[in-house]
Amino acid sequence: MAELKSWTPTSWLFGVLRNPWTILCSALIAIYLGASQPNFAKSLAPFGNIYLSLLKMCVLPILISAITMSIGRLMVSHEAGRYIKRVLLVFPIGMLAVSLVGLLTALILGPGRSLSSGTLQRLGVLINKEGVDLVISLSGPLTPPKEVPNLLGFIASMIPSNIFGSLSEGETLKVVFFSIVFGATLGIVNSKSSNPYRVFSTFDYIYKSFNKLIGWLTLLLPFGLFCLLASQIAKAGLNVIFAMVNFLIAGLIAYAIVYIISMLVIWSRVKRSFLFTFATLRDTSILALATSNAFACLPSSIAAMSDGLKFDLQAINVIVPLAVTVGRFGQVLYFALASLFVAQLYKFDLGVGGLSIVVVGSIFAGIASSGATGIATLATMGVVLQPLGLPLDAVLVLFFAVDPIMDPFRTLCTLHTSIAVSAVIADVEPDRQVIETEDYLVAS
């Protein structure tokens, strides 16, 4: 029997700081302080900005190492070689589907269209204070960009002419494109090597190092979120929270739709009762909501798919982590929904070209968030907003305010949709029979 970890004050403190309820309480206290003690709350802004800068510092190293390593390892894996064509087909379809769900939900429900003029005015004041170069008011139309965005121009803008220049300028979209191409090429070149995985050890060290740093910064999330949210509430008032109620409702509906569709896909693949399929994945779903970390749920997901639903273990070991790392389905949906919300706030008519950019850009923004968790993922939303001429920094606090609520559902969407696309790609082992009992969880 494995020994239980001994209790220490440090482990208890770390557990409290990582608890989602702690983060939620931090947000609620920040809202109260920002509304009741605005002068003190404004003085916390520099601390919040420092925390946000530390999170942004980790984005590019993590996404380069995570994407390059995942794509490259897939290309050299002999066990997953026969699944590569399926991955290249199913992953884009899955990301496109969730992006469209986010887009259509925002178009139908219009979370940013029905806000009162008073709320828009208050938010406009907040945005004008966010940067010296942003003289924008939500009460009037946004000045359109000099060039009308189109899909072909957006695709061309993804290709870096100088990757080092893109790195120094923080052009995330170009870095993502480079990482995908570089990882695939590196995997193909090393596939014939005697030790093809050796070349990826450097990327693995980089990823683990910055992931460890993100883990340390996550311990400070209650304080960072408190400083950021309190100072912004002091500037904008409680209308910041009220303005996001429609966005919250739209987001939860969109995530529920994707969850149901994913469950139906998994059920159709295992060809067992729906209750059996749901019950087998129940603990994994609860774990995703509780931890808000899809990577922490990988062991449970793989066990449920291989032991419970009888999918090929070798394939699942490769595909599920790859789907969680690269697919980022919850983020893709979130970015599509959030981009439409921002456009509706500014009363900006995107047109067909703009909507196409939102759909495709949300996919790349999701990929760009690889390795990041929580509010660190929101920094990559600029991949979608920048080509549309919409500001990110000015509206980021709106999404910070509701992220403690949205993050668990975003994580569940990423994990559960990753399981669904893995179920489409992997094979069910026909010689392993599943016995459905009253608890729907016993297998032979």
Side-chain angles (χ1 to χ4, degrees):
M1 181 180 295
E3 295 183 3
L4 295 176
K5 292 184 179 180
S6 58
W7 180 91
T8 64
T10 302
S11 64
W12 175 83
L13 178 61
F14 285 2
V16 171
L17 292 174
R18 288 193 176 102
N19 194 305
W21 289 106
T22 301
I23 299 173
L24 180 60
C25 290
S26 174
L28 294 176
I29 296 173
I31 293 170
Y32 171 77
L33 183 67
S36 60
Q37 302 291 333
N39 292 331
F40 175 72
K42 288 178 183 179
S43 68
L44 300 175
F47 301 101
N49 292 332
I50 291 173
Y51 182 74
L52 183 58
S53 297
L54 288 171
L55 288 176
K56 289 182 176 180
M57 177 185 71
C58 301
V59 171
L60 286 181
I62 284 180
L63 77 90
I64 292 173
S65 56
I67 295 173
T68 302
M69 183 172 57
S70 298
I71 297 293
R73 282 179 170 174
L74 177 65
M75 301 301 291
V76 303
S77 175
H78 298 295
E79 297 294 339
R82 61 195 177 103
Y83 292 111
I84 289 179
K85 290 183 179 178
R86 300 184 192 178
V87 168
L88 295 177
L89 176 64
V90 176
F91 272 33
I93 291 176
M95 289 187 283
L96 179 63
V98 296
S99 183
L100 287 172
V101 169
L103 179 78
L104 293 175
T105 302
L107 287 175
I108 294 172
L109 298 181
R113 285 197 301 256
S114 56
L115 301 178
S116 66
S117 58
T119 300
L120 290 175
Q121 232 174 4
R122 296 293 293 277
L123 292 175
V125 172
L126 165 66
I127 289 176
N128 288 331
K129 291 181 179 179
E130 281 299 304
V132 295
D133 59 337
L134 291 175
V135 185
I136 299 170
S137 175
L138 287 176
S139 59
L142 180 69
T143 302
K146 295 180 180 179
E147 297 182 2
V148 178
N150 60 80
L151 185 58
L152 289 178
F154 173 72
I155 294 174
S157 69
M158 296 189 306
I159 305 173
S161 58
N162 183 343
I163 184 57
F164 298 104
S166 299
L167 285 168
S168 63
E169 295 295 329
E171 296 174 325
T172 307
L173 184 59
K174 293 182 179 181
V175 174
V176 171
F177 182 86
F178 170 81
S179 300
I180 294 173
V181 174
F182 181 55
T185 307
L186 199 62
I188 293 172
V189 170
N190 285 273
S191 60
K192 303 300 182 182
S193 173
S194 58
N195 186 7
Y197 293 100
R198 182 177 58 186
V199 71
F200 300 111
S201 61
T202 301
F203 295 99
D204 190 33
Y205 287 131
I206 294 173
Y207 172 78
K208 288 181 178 178
S209 298
F210 279 92
N211 199 42
K212 175 65 73 174
L213 179 56
I214 285 288
W216 291 337
L217 291 175
T218 301
L219 295 175
L220 300 176
L221 177 58
F223 305 104
L225 179 62
F226 173 79
C227 294
L228 284 167
L229 192 54
S231 61
Q232 298 301 344
I233 291 294
K235 294 178 182 179
L238 290 178
N239 278 335
V240 172
I241 303 298
F242 298 148
M244 299 300 285
V245 170
N246 291 344
F247 176 78
L248 279 172
I249 295 173
L252 295 178
I253 290 174
Y255 283 133
I257 292 172
V258 172
Y259 184 88
I260 293 171
I261 294 175
S262 298
M263 184 60 70
L264 292 174
V265 169
I266 300 169
W267 173 50
S268 67
R269 288 288 291 153
V270 298
K271 298 179 181 178
R272 299 290 172 178
S273 74
F274 185 84
L275 282 178
F276 172 79
T277 306
F278 176 80
T280 304
L281 298 172
R282 178 184 57 206
D283 290 345
T284 299
S285 299
I286 294 174
L287 185 63
L289 290 172
T291 63
S292 296
N293 190 321
F295 296 100
C297 303
L298 284 177
S300 173
S301 305
I302 293 172
M305 292 196 72
S306 61
D307 298 336
L309 302 179
K310 307 306 175 186
F311 283 96
D312 179 15
L313 178 60
Q314 296 298 327
I316 292 301
N317 274 332
V318 175
I319 298 169
V320 176
L322 182 66
V324 170
T325 303
V326 178
R328 310 295 282 175
F329 302 98
Q331 283 79 355
V332 171
L333 185 152
Y334 187 90
F335 292 149
L337 181 69
S339 299
L340 260 292
F341 174 76
V342 174
Q344 290 168 358
L345 279 179
Y346 284 100
K347 302 177 183 177
F348 184 38
D349 185 12
L350 294 176
V352 176
L355 293 176
S356 301
I357 289 177
V358 170
V359 172
V360 178
S362 296
I363 294 174
F364 279 91
I367 296 174
S369 68
S370 296
T373 58
I375 62 174
T377 64
L378 304 183
T380 57
M381 200 186 307
V383 172
V384 193
L385 298 182
Q386 186 177 3
L388 299 172
L390 294 168
L392 171 62
D393 292 342
V395 296
L396 203 53
V397 65
L398 300 179
F399 302 106
F400 282 172
V402 297
D403 202 64
I405 300 173
M406 295 296 290
D407 191 24
F409 297 97
R410 190 167 60 227
T411 301
L412 178 60
C413 179
T414 294
L415 183 68
H416 203 262
T417 311
S418 296
I419 293 174
V421 299
S422 301
V424 174
I425 295 170
D427 295 323
V428 179
E429 296 180 313
D431 57 332
R432 300 172 69 187
Q433 300 297 321
V434 179
I435 301 175
E436 298 181 24
T437 62
E438 290 182 358
D439 61 2
Y440 302 98
L441 291 174
V442 177
S444 64

